Amino acid sequence: MALSWYGLMNIRTLPVFMPAKYNAWGNAGSTGSVMVCHPASDAYIIGTMNHFGYGQKGVRFMLQIADKLLKAV
């Protein structure tokens, strides 16, 4: 679930579907752009797919990077 205040999204996962380690703060745009703070890995994840309509791919990109960062720790 993502809640938005002042342009920031609080990305909170549902434990049944995805572990809490993917929780993050930031925003994802309609062009596939992502800028989030991932507290579990103490990292900022910033990137873009540079294509309108790739919003979901940007979020998947963020989750993949977060997963790789968590495995590296």
Side-chain angles (χ1 to χ4, degrees):
M1 174 183 358
L3 301 174
S4 180
W5 297 283
Y6 305 110
L8 287 176
M9 293 169 47
N10 181 7
I11 302 166
R12 291 185 292 169
T13 59
L14 297 172
V16 174
F17 299 110
M18 205 179 303
K21 66 182 181 180
Y22 293 110
N23 292 348
W25 284 91
N27 207 339
S30 62
T31 60
S33 58
V34 174
M35 184 173 167
V36 297
C37 171
H38 187 252
S41 63
D42 194 31
Y44 293 92
I45 301 170
I46 303 167
T48 183
M49 300 296 158
N50 240 4
H51 193 280
F52 184 74
Y54 276 18
Q56 291 179 349
K57 286 187 181 184
V59 173
R60 276 188 249 135
F61 167 74
M62 184 271 299
L63 293 173
Q64 289 173 354
I65 297 298
D67 191 45
K68 289 180 182 187
L69 286 171
L70 290 169
K71 286 181 182 178
V73 173

